[in-house]
Amino acid sequence: MDLTGGPAALAARALRTRRLARAPIHLYRAGLGAVFGARLLMLEHTGRVTGARRHVVLEVVDRPAPDTYVVVSGFGERSQWYRNVLADPDVRVSTGLRRGVPARAVPMPEQESAETLRRYARARPRAWRNLRAVIERATGAPVTTLPMVRLTLSAGRAVSGPPDRPGGTSPRRR
């Protein structure tokens, strides 16, 4: 299915609809993240202002090593999750059967991000055409390059972590 026309507008609207955009998070939290395979992951990060745990589901655009994932910020540097991992790079990753694995988030240099994006576009031309159309529709700006983050899993084992405390906060992970 090609999303470059009218469907791109619908998909862009869905991205801006919080309830729809966050629906996969509930599946990951219920232990059903494996239905998305290795193509998506859930990133748990810490709010830079509140210190509360935050979650976002992102597409994996590259796997340069078995314990390394590269994700892209489709909404650019203004994306909340991106700004949060810049402030606190200690995160947790859930993907496939892995849940709550501690990881380190490192922003990639612009040239490395651009090269990764070119490789992704060559490897998945249809997916890139659709994704690009949706991002451009949602942001109102052409996509030339996007900020990317390399997530390197820690050698430690996966942990699910305690549920949020009342009020939406949890103790800082270190």
Side-chain angles (χ1 to χ4, degrees):
M1 176 182 196
D2 190 355
L3 296 180
T4 56
L10 183 61
R13 186 173 179 197
L15 275 179
R16 290 188 308 257
T17 305
R18 186 172 174 84
R19 178 174 278 163
L20 288 175
R22 298 186 57 78
I25 293 170
H26 301 294
L27 292 173
Y28 274 97
R29 284 180 156 175
L32 301 173
V35 301
F36 298 113
R39 187 103 185 254
L40 298 178
L41 61 76
M42 182 174 73
L43 180 68
E44 179 185 327
H45 51 98
T46 304
R48 66 192 176 285
V49 175
T50 65
R53 288 191 312 166
R54 304 289 183 203
H55 301 84
V56 63
V57 174
L58 303 164
E59 182 176 4
V60 175
V61 295
D62 196 13
R63 286 286 305 276
D67 284 342
T68 304
Y69 298 84
V70 174
V71 293
V72 63
S73 177
F75 286 98
E77 293 179 356
R78 70 177 195 226
S79 176
Q80 296 301 314
W81 75 263
Y82 183 78
R83 295 168 66 190
N84 287 341
V85 301
L86 290 179
D88 183 355
D90 294 325
V91 298
R92 292 183 184 264
V93 172
S94 297
T95 185
L97 297 175
R98 294 173 148 174
R99 293 181 67 190
V101 180
R104 185 94 174 152
V106 177
M108 293 170 51
E110 188 174 336
Q111 276 202 257
E112 190 178 351
S113 293
E115 179 54 35
T116 301
L117 195 57
R118 282 190 290 275
R119 279 196 315 273
Y120 178 83
R122 280 194 307 271
R124 296 186 175 107
R126 186 174 172 192
W128 171 240
R129 188 172 56 250
N130 292 336
L131 182 62
R132 182 179 193 160
V134 170
I135 290 171
E136 288 179 347
R137 241 348 219 233
T139 63
V143 174
T144 53
T145 187
L146 294 167
M148 294 191 187
V149 173
R150 181 179 295 107
L151 303 168
T152 304
L153 304 184
S154 301
R157 67 183 197 18
V159 286
S160 296
D164 284 346
R165 292 181 184 170
T169 63
S170 63
R172 304 256 326 173
R173 299 176 318 276
R174 289 280 181 235

